[in-house]
């Protein structure tokens, strides 16, 4: 039977499903750890040496449900691969990214098994979370690129080069904040099991490093927002940086609240969700700073319509046009 061909719009919906599933399993995985169910199944891939599926207690059931949800994730990324083969026009870059998701999910399954085998050693749990974030990043890039029917010959910047470098620095700092957050988690009380080893580093010190990094990040996002405004960036870029700043501020406030309230489980779960959203906002902002060659004229017209009433007395600005003609990638 011949498989149905997919339009770019239909394929983009498939990539969104894969992205949503990969993000959701980060939240369910956090629930496993926070409920103390990380070793509910003490073997892998079986739940125990004598049973494939174990539901004899609450911890086993929670861990088993999370493993079963991995099956849905596998279906989602498999559909992304199949869809890339049926998409018209077919694009090799989308197929390659979808295959990266498949390989990544397999790697994550193996890494999850290793985490169980080593009794939730902090490094294994940290690696498991960070690898999940990387997979979400790949899925977000795939979803973003799928919006363009044809593969662009080249991409053109919509802001000045100094602003792009600042945006890259902010993204790198965001990634560091996530890594520092895993250090706090590894030193904290929620290890996934009462017997799990914790990082031999006082949690106040880890939290101080993480908090200082977050404060620095917030300052840089504000400066970046100002630079984007000064460059007369497209409306979509300004919207995303505003959302990015709002989520980062909420995440910072939540982090301080949970720390000074003995790290309650419910707040930690929301903090994991916030970390995921902050990363997605940071990456989406990076993706929006370039457009396919040929689209920069429309971007410049949009900026001119939006900004010219405010700056009519100062004369036309060349910042947008100069930005769009800057470096390509």
């Amino acid at each position: 039977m011949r498989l149905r061909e997919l339009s770019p719009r239909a394929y983009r919906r498939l990539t969104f499903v894969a992205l949503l599933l990969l993000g959701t399993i980060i939240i369910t995985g956090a629930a496993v750890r926070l409920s103390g169910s990380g070793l509910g199944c003490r073997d892998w891939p079986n739940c125990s040496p004598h049973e494939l599926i174990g539901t004899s207690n609450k911890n086993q059931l929670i861990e088993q449900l999370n493993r079963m949800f991995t099956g849905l994730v596998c279906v989602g990324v498999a559909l992304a691969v199949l869809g890339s083969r049926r998409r018209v026009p077919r694009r090799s870059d989308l197929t390659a990214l979808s295959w990266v998701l498949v390989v990544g999910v397999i790697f994550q399954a193996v890494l999850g098994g290793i985490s169980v085998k080593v009794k939730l050693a902090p490094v294994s749990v940290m690696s498991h979370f960070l690898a999940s974030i990387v997979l979400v990043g790949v899925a977000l890039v795939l979803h973003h690129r799928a919006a363009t029917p044809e593969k662009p010959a080249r991409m053109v910047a919509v802001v000045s080069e100094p602003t792009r470098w600042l945006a890259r620095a902010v993204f790198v700092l965001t990634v560091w904040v996530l890594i520092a957050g895993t250090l706090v988690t590894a030193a904290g009380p929620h290890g996934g099991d009462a017997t799990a080893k914790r990082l031999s580093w006082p949690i106040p010190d880890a939290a101080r490093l993480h908090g200082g990094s977050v404060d620095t990040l917030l300052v840089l996002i504000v400066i970046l927002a100002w630079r984007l405004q000064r460059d007369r960036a497209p409306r979509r870029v300004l919207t995303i940086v505003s959302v990015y700043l709002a989520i980062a501020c909420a995440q910072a406030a939540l982090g301080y609240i949970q720390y000074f309230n003995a790290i309650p489980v419910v707040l930690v779960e929301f903090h994991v969700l916030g970390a995921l959203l902050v990363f997605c906002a940071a990456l989406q902002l990076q993706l929006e700073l370039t457009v396919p060659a040929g689209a920069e004229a429309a971007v410049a017209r949009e900026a001119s319509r939006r900004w010219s009433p405010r700056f009519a007395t100062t004369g036309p600005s060349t910042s947008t046009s100069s930005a769009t003609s800057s470096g390509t990638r």
Side-chain angles (χ1 to χ4, degrees):
M1 177 174 141
R2 182 179 174 82
L3 294 176
R4 180 182 175 183
E5 293 181 340
L6 291 179
S7 66
R9 177 176 294 184
Y11 179 66
R12 194 161 191 254
R13 294 195 192 103
L14 280 182
T15 64
F16 179 75
V17 171
L19 172 62
L20 185 63
L21 290 172
L22 286 165
T24 301
I25 201 167
I26 292 178
I27 307 305
T28 61
V32 171
R33 176 174 59 82
L34 293 169
S35 63
S37 305
L39 293 179
C41 289
R42 294 183 176 272
D43 201 4
W44 186 88
N46 292 349
C47 187
S48 73
H50 307 294
E51 54 185 355
L52 175 63
I53 299 175
T55 57
S56 59
N57 57 61
K58 181 191 74 172
N59 289 342
Q60 274 193 352
L61 180 61
I62 293 173
E63 168 63 5
Q64 201 68 62
L65 288 173
N66 187 61
R67 290 188 182 188
M68 292 174 66
F69 187 77
T70 303
L72 287 178
V73 176
C74 292
V75 172
V77 298
L79 288 175
V81 172
L82 293 175
S84 71
R85 305 284 296 177
R86 303 308 306 166
R87 183 186 186 274
V88 178
R90 186 185 295 185
R91 284 177 49 181
S92 59
D93 60 324
L94 301 182
T95 301
L97 285 169
S98 60
W99 272 113
V100 170
L101 292 180
V102 172
V103 174
V105 168
I106 294 172
F107 173 78
Q108 274 291 75
V110 174
L111 187 56
I114 293 173
S115 297
V116 172
K117 295 291 187 180
V118 298
K119 308 303 179 186
L120 304 181
V123 173
S124 68
V125 177
M126 291 164 60
S127 301
H128 200 37
F129 172 78
L130 293 174
S132 295
I133 290 291
V134 171
L135 275 179
V136 167
V138 174
L140 185 58
V141 172
L142 174 63
H143 180 64
H144 178 79
R145 290 189 180 182
T148 307
E150 300 282 353
K151 182 179 179 180
R154 62 191 180 93
M155 302 295 287
V156 181
V158 297
V159 294
S160 63
E161 194 61 19
T163 301
R164 287 190 72 196
W165 276 107
L166 176 59
R168 293 185 186 110
V170 170
F171 179 75
V172 170
L173 183 56
T174 301
V175 173
W176 161 247
V177 164
L178 291 178
I179 295 172
T182 64
L183 293 173
V184 179
T185 298
H190 305 299
D193 188 84
T195 63
K197 292 182 178 179
R198 313 308 299 135
L199 196 65
S200 58
W201 191 18
I203 190 169
D205 293 343
R208 194 173 296 112
L209 173 66
H210 180 53
S213 300
V214 170
D215 294 341
T216 304
L217 176 63
L218 292 178
V219 172
L220 286 182
I221 296 175
V222 171
I223 296 173
L224 176 60
W226 171 76
R227 286 283 315 188
L228 291 170
Q229 190 91 353
R230 184 172 175 270
D231 280 2
R232 303 187 184 184
R235 185 185 301 276
R236 182 173 173 82
V237 172
L238 296 177
T239 299
I240 291 174
V241 77
S242 299
V243 171
Y244 182 19
L245 179 60
I247 296 173
C249 287
Q251 179 74 340
L254 182 58
Y256 282 109
I257 291 170
Q258 72 176 17
Y259 180 77
F260 290 111
N261 286 274
I263 316 181
V265 166
V266 174
L267 293 186
V268 175
E269 183 75 20
F270 278 105
H271 202 53
V272 172
L273 173 61
L276 175 62
L277 294 178
V278 165
F279 174 77
C280 288
L283 179 56
Q284 187 64 43
L285 180 61
Q286 293 293 310
L287 296 173
E288 295 292 344
L289 292 181
T290 56
V291 296
E296 67 268 28
V299 170
R301 286 195 299 271
E302 185 266 338
S304 177
R305 287 194 301 269
R306 180 158 48 89
W307 292 100
S308 57
R310 288 183 60 189
F311 294 91
T313 60
T314 62
S317 170
T318 59
S319 61
T320 301
S321 58
S322 63
T324 56
S325 62
S326 62
T328 62
R329 67 173 178 88

